[in-house]
Amino acid sequence: MAVRVRFAPSPTGHLHLGGLRTALFNYFFARSQKGKFILRIEDTDQSRLVPGAVDGLIRDLEWAGIHADEGPHIEGGLHGPYIQSQRTTLYRDHAEDLLASGHAYRCFCSTERLGALRSLASRTGQSTSYDKHCRHLSSTEMQNKAASGDPYTIRLKVPSSPEATTIHDLVYGSTTFMHEFIDDQVLMKSDGFPTYHLANVVDDHDMKITHVLRGEEWRASTPKHILLYQAFGWEPPQFAHLPLLINPDRTKLSKRAGAMFVSQLREQGFTPQMLCNFVALLGWTLPETMVEVDPKPTAIANALQDVFADLDSVVAAFDLSQVHVNPAVVNMDKLGFLAKRHLRMMHPGDAEYVAALEQLNALLENQPWFGDLPIKPTPTEMQAAFNLAKDTYDSLQSISANLAFFWQNPPTDSIQCGGDRDVILTRVNVLKHVQKLMHQDVSTPLTAQQLQTFLKDVCKSLNIKPKVGMIAMRLALTGSQSGPSIAKVAEVLGRDTVLTRVQAAIEGAQ
C-alpha cells in the first residue's frame, strides 16, 4: 500500500514551530517513501477559529517549501473535502453506527453536573474522568430523554474486556494502557460537531492514511483511537509520535513565549532553508553523510556541522528510527548559528540565494532610511551589497538594518567616534595619506587589494597598528567600527564615493 500521511492543524492562529516540525517530518517521510502528503484542516472546535488562519497556514507551508499533494487549496483530491466542518454528516453517520453496534452511548449529563464532578475530583485528589453515569441508563431511559429533546453528547464505551490496549509506536516502541484508566471520551458534542478523537479516526480511515506522525502530547489518546478503529472494524494506521519541544530551561515550549511563529521568524529575516534546517534538527539526527563541509572550517563549525542545503537533500536520508524519544530543546541561538552558516554558504544563482535577495528587498522596505533614498538601489547594487554583508551578519534582518552606508553617506563627525583628540588626529592623518595615494591614479577602478596596500603603506609610514588605519577608513566610509571587509566595501562604493566620504570625514573632524 502506498504511504499516505497527513498534517492536520487547527486554524486557531499562526503556524508555530511545533506545527512546522510536525508538517516537516510528515513531508520528509512521505517523500522518502514516494508517498503522498495531505493537508487537512481540523476546525471542529468552532469557538476557537481565527478568521484568515487557514490561508495563513497554507501560505506559511508553501513559503517553507512544504507542498501538499492533496488539501483544501488543491483541486481534484479524491478524498475531500479536506476541511472537517464540511464533513459533519459523515461523522454523525459513523457516530450513529457506533451507537447501533453498542460501542458508544448517549450522555445526557449537563455541563453543570460535569463541572461539579471535576471540581469534586480535584478537591479529593481523584481522577477527573467521567463517572459513566449515563452508561448505565436503560434503553428506555435513553429513548425517553432523547424523545424529550434533552441535549446529549455521544461517548465512547471503553470495553472492560479485554482489560488493556497496546499501541506499537514507531518512535516510542510498545506501550500498554489499562482500560480502567481510559476515559469514556466524548465523540460527538451536543452542538452536532465531532471531537478530535472521532473526526481524526474517521478522516484518517476515509483518506486512507497509512502513517500518523504527530506530537507526543497525543500519545496518551492513541489507545482511544485504537479502540475506535476496532469498534469500526478498520485496520489502524501506524503511529509515530514526535518528541516534545521544550525551552532551554526545560519548561514546555509555549506558543506565546517569544517569536515562535513561522510568520514572525520570516519577518525577522530567516529564509525557509534556515528555518527548516533548524526545525528538522528538533528531535531528529542529521546523518553524517549529509553534512555540508565548510571550505574554511572553524572549531564551532566542526562541532556543529548540521547544515543542509534544501528539503530535497534530506528526503532520501530521513528515517523514523533516527527520531529521538527525549524532548527536543528549542535553542534560538542555534537558529542564529545555522542562519549565519547558510548566509556564508550561499552562492549567486542558488535557489536560497535568490530567495534571500527577494526577502532582503522586502525587509528593506521596512527600514526608515530606505524610504528616504532618492533613487532605489539597482539589482546589481543590491547583489554586490548582499555578497559582502552575508559573510558578516547573522540574518537578513540584521543585514537590512546595516546596509544604509552603501547608499547613504555616514555622519560627517563619525570619525570622532570613541576617540580622544589624539586618536582623532591620528585617524585624520591616516585619511589624508590614503586620500593622497588615491589621487595619484583616478583613471582606474579602485580595488580591495589596492586599498589594502594603501592602508598598509600608510600605517607603516606613520608607525601605527594596521587596526588603527582600518578603523579610520571604516568610520569614514560606513560610520561604524564593525561590518564587512572595509577594503571590499571601498571597492563596491567606488573611487569617487570613497574620496567624497574621506574628505567629508576630514572636514568633520575639524
Side-chain angles (χ1 to χ4, degrees):
M1 182 183 293
V3 166
R4 290 174 59 84
V5 301
R6 47 65 165 184
F7 174 53
S10 297
T12 56
H14 299 289
L15 180 64
H16 56 89
L17 286 185
L20 179 62
R21 198 270 303 268
T22 299
L24 198 58
F25 281 28
N26 273 281
Y27 179 84
F28 284 154
F29 184 71
R31 294 295 180 261
S32 70
Q33 303 297 314
K34 302 187 184 307
K36 299 296 184 181
F37 172 77
I38 292 91
L39 174 64
R40 186 173 76 220
I41 303 300
E42 300 196 338
D43 62 343
T44 56
D45 189 346
Q46 296 285 293
S47 64
R48 299 177 61 228
L49 300 186
V50 173
V54 173
D55 291 338
L57 286 166
I58 294 171
R59 183 170 57 250
D60 286 343
L61 290 173
E62 292 285 333
W63 173 82
I66 303 173
H67 306 296
D69 298 298
E70 301 172 29
H73 58 306
I74 299 172
E75 294 184 4
L78 298 178
H79 302 281
Y82 295 92
I83 298 178
Q84 286 187 337
S85 60
Q86 299 173 11
R87 301 168 61 86
T88 53
T89 299
L90 182 67
Y91 308 134
R92 293 191 190 105
D93 290 345
H94 281 84
E96 290 296 327
D97 289 344
L98 291 175
L99 289 173
S101 65
H103 291 99
Y105 61 93
R106 293 182 177 87
C107 174
F108 296 91
C109 292
S110 66
T111 302
E112 291 74 21
R113 180 180 186 278
L114 295 175
L117 282 175
R118 286 192 293 269
S119 178
L120 177 61
S122 297
R123 290 198 307 272
T124 59
Q126 302 297 312
S127 170
T128 56
S129 296
Y130 177 57
D131 65 356
K132 304 180 182 180
H133 171 75
C134 290
R135 179 169 176 162
H136 304 297
L137 295 177
S138 66
S139 298
T140 302
E141 289 176 302
M142 286 193 179
Q143 290 173 0
N144 290 339
K145 285 179 175 291
S148 299
D150 291 0
Y152 63 86
T153 61
I154 297 178
R155 289 183 179 271
L156 171 67
K157 184 183 289 186
V158 176
S160 57
S161 178
E163 297 180 345
T165 292
T166 298
I167 63 172
H168 304 285
D169 195 290
L170 296 175
V171 174
Y172 286 84
S174 297
T175 307
T176 298
F177 294 82
M178 302 303 295
H179 287 181
E180 62 180 304
F181 301 116
I182 300 177
D183 196 10
D184 279 8
Q185 186 69 50
V186 172
L187 303 177
M188 289 291 292
K189 295 175 287 187
S190 58
D191 61 3
F193 275 85
T195 62
Y196 168 84
H197 305 282
L198 176 64
N200 100 89
V201 166
V202 170
D203 287 344
D204 285 346
H205 173 75
D206 186 64
M207 296 179 183
K208 303 186 185 306
I209 301 302
T210 61
H211 295 75
V212 173
L213 280 66
R214 59 188 180 188
E216 195 272 344
E217 63 270 20
W218 292 110
R219 189 164 158 240
S221 296
T222 306
K224 300 174 186 177
H225 304 160
I226 295 294
L227 289 173
L228 278 171
Y229 279 104
Q230 293 173 350
F232 285 122
W234 298 337
E235 183 70 23
Q238 296 188 65
F239 291 92
H241 289 90
L242 310 177
L244 288 173
L245 301 184
I246 59 175
N247 295 306
D249 62 2
R250 314 300 293 183
T251 58
K252 185 177 179 181
L253 188 70
S254 171
K255 300 177 187 178
R256 301 172 183 84
M260 292 299 171
F261 296 116
V262 171
S263 56
Q264 289 177 310
L265 293 166
R266 180 174 65 244
E267 291 168 1
Q268 290 182 14
F270 295 102
T271 67
Q273 292 86 346
M274 295 171 185
L275 187 56
C276 288
N277 193 158
F278 173 64
V279 172
L281 298 174
L282 296 175
W284 178 71
T285 301
L286 190 71
E288 291 183 6
T289 55
M290 289 186 51
V291 168
E292 292 277 357
V293 179
D294 193 323
K296 296 180 180 179
T298 64
I300 294 179
N302 286 333
L304 290 172
Q305 291 276 14
D306 287 338
V307 180
F308 58 79
D310 52 41
L311 299 188
D312 290 339
S313 65
V314 180
V315 166
F318 187 77
D319 190 333
L320 286 175
S321 67
Q322 294 171 305
V323 176
H324 305 169
V325 173
N326 295 326
V329 177
V330 178
N331 186 342
M332 301 306 285
D333 290 340
K334 178 68 175 288
L335 174 58
F337 169 82
L338 289 171
K340 186 172 183 178
R341 285 184 53 75
H342 271 265
L343 285 169
R344 286 175 56 190
M345 296 169 67
M346 287 180 192
H347 300 288
D350 291 349
E352 184 174 15
Y353 181 95
V354 173
L357 264 180
E358 292 177 355
Q359 198 166 338
L360 178 59
N361 274 295
L363 289 167
L364 285 172
E365 294 291 340
N366 296 323
Q367 294 293 334
W369 63 265
F370 192 78
D372 294 336
L373 294 178
I375 301 176
K376 293 297 183 284
T378 65
T380 300
E381 291 173 336
M382 279 296 304
Q383 183 167 330
F386 179 57
N387 288 343
L388 281 182
K390 73 183 185 66
D391 291 334
T392 302
Y393 302 105
D394 291 349
S395 70
L396 294 176
Q397 186 181 54
S398 59
I399 290 176
S400 69
N402 288 282
L403 282 186
F405 66 82
F406 279 106
W407 300 283
Q408 274 191 336
N409 293 329
T412 55
D413 61 351
S414 59
I415 196 69
Q416 301 179 31
C417 179
D420 57 24
R421 191 61 190 167
D422 289 340
V423 170
I424 295 171
L425 290 175
T426 299
R427 291 172 179 171
V428 170
N429 209 11
V430 169
L431 296 180
K432 287 181 177 180
H433 279 73
V434 171
Q435 186 183 50
K436 183 177 179 180
L437 291 172
M438 288 182 64
H439 275 301
Q440 291 177 0
D441 182 9
V442 296
S443 61
T444 60
L446 178 67
T447 66
Q449 181 61 50
Q450 193 177 43
L451 184 66
Q452 286 178 333
T453 301
F454 289 161
L455 281 171
K456 181 179 179 181
D457 293 344
V458 168
C459 290
K460 185 175 181 180
S461 67
L462 295 178
N463 194 28
I464 59 175
K465 294 180 179 180
K467 181 179 180 181
V468 176
M470 289 289 185
I471 289 178
M473 283 300 297
R474 187 178 294 282
L475 288 171
L477 299 187
T478 71
S480 172
Q481 295 192 55
S482 62
S485 162
I486 195 59
K488 293 181 179 179
V489 167
E491 181 176 314
V492 171
L493 292 176
R495 188 182 297 271
D496 291 345
T497 299
V498 170
L499 285 172
T500 298
R501 292 186 182 184
V502 165
Q503 181 59 36
I506 292 172
E507 295 174 358
Q510 306 301 324

